[in-house]
């Protein structure tokens, strides 16, 4: 079976969600080879280097590996899911700006931005006409 991406990185700015995901993942020892929940930027870097399939990180840790995704890990494909982009903060603003620059250099990069309240047309324009998928519920 062929995969579109090597690693999916879930980035959240919600510490509570991060803690919930970590606790859930730790309950299933059989997924530890596939899923990693980064406790530190060092964990995040190690999980990416080791080829974990799904990596969960807070936004505070994620910037430490953006350069590596662009350069050192350029032979690997990534999907980045940025959760709760409407939680406007300097961290989210920085991340979105850097990801836009990274997309210009890594056309293979897949990015999903989730939000309940952002203006989807504005974000689509910011990301050069990216498609909008609306999910209700």
């Amino acid at each position: 079976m062929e995969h579109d991406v090597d690693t999916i990185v879930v980035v959240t700015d919600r510490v509570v969600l991060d803690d919930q995901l970590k606790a859930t993942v730790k309950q299933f020892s059989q997924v530890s080879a596939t899923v990693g929940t980064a406790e530190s930027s060092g964990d995040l870097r190690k999980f990416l280097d080791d080829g974990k399939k799904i990596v969960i990180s807070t936004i505070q840790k994620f910037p430490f590996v953006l350069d590596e995704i662009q350069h050192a890990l350029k032979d690997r494909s990534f999907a980045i899911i940025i959760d709760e982009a409407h939680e406007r903060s300097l961290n989210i603003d920085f991340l979105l700006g850097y990801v836009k620059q990274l997309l210009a250099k890594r056309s293979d990069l897949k990015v999903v931005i989730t939000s309940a309240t952002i203006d989807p047309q504005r974000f689509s324009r910011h990301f050069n006409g990216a498609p909008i998928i609306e999910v209700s519920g």
Side-chain angles (χ1 to χ4, degrees):
M1 183 171 157
E2 188 175 320
H3 299 283
D4 289 337
V5 296
D6 295 315
T7 301
I8 298 170
V9 181
V10 179
V11 182
T12 181
D13 197 22
R14 298 183 299 163
V15 175
V16 171
L17 176 63
D18 189 49
D19 290 342
Q20 290 171 343
L21 288 169
K22 282 189 264 188
T24 301
V25 168
K26 286 179 182 177
Q27 291 177 18
F28 302 99
S29 61
Q30 69 271 21
V31 301
S32 64
T34 303
V35 180
T37 56
E39 301 283 341
S40 68
S41 57
D43 288 345
L44 179 56
R45 184 173 284 116
K46 181 180 180 334
F47 292 154
L48 294 177
D49 287 341
D50 291 350
K52 291 271 188 195
K53 297 298 181 192
I54 301 171
V55 178
I56 301 164
S57 173
T58 61
I59 196 167
Q60 292 80 7
K61 298 172 204 126
F62 188 68
F64 293 101
V65 296
L66 285 170
D67 281 334
E68 290 179 43
I69 288 174
Q70 180 179 340
H71 299 293
L73 300 172
K74 65 182 175 191
D75 59 328
R76 306 231 346 261
S77 59
F78 292 91
I80 300 171
I81 300 172
I82 302 171
D83 184 43
E84 300 292 332
H86 62 270
E87 298 290 334
R88 299 304 305 267
S89 68
L90 284 176
N91 289 330
I92 285 283
D93 290 348
F94 168 78
L95 178 63
L96 293 173
Y98 198 92
V99 166
K100 182 177 180 177
Q101 292 176 359
L102 190 57
L103 280 167
K105 297 172 183 162
R106 295 262 333 238
S107 61
D108 63 313
L109 186 64
K110 312 274 192 278
V111 177
V112 175
I113 300 171
T114 69
S115 173
T117 60
I118 62 169
D119 177 350
Q121 278 69 28
R122 183 174 171 206
F123 265 68
S124 176
R125 283 191 305 274
H126 179 75
F127 285 97
N128 303 320
I132 298 169
I133 301 170
E134 294 189 38
V135 179
S136 62

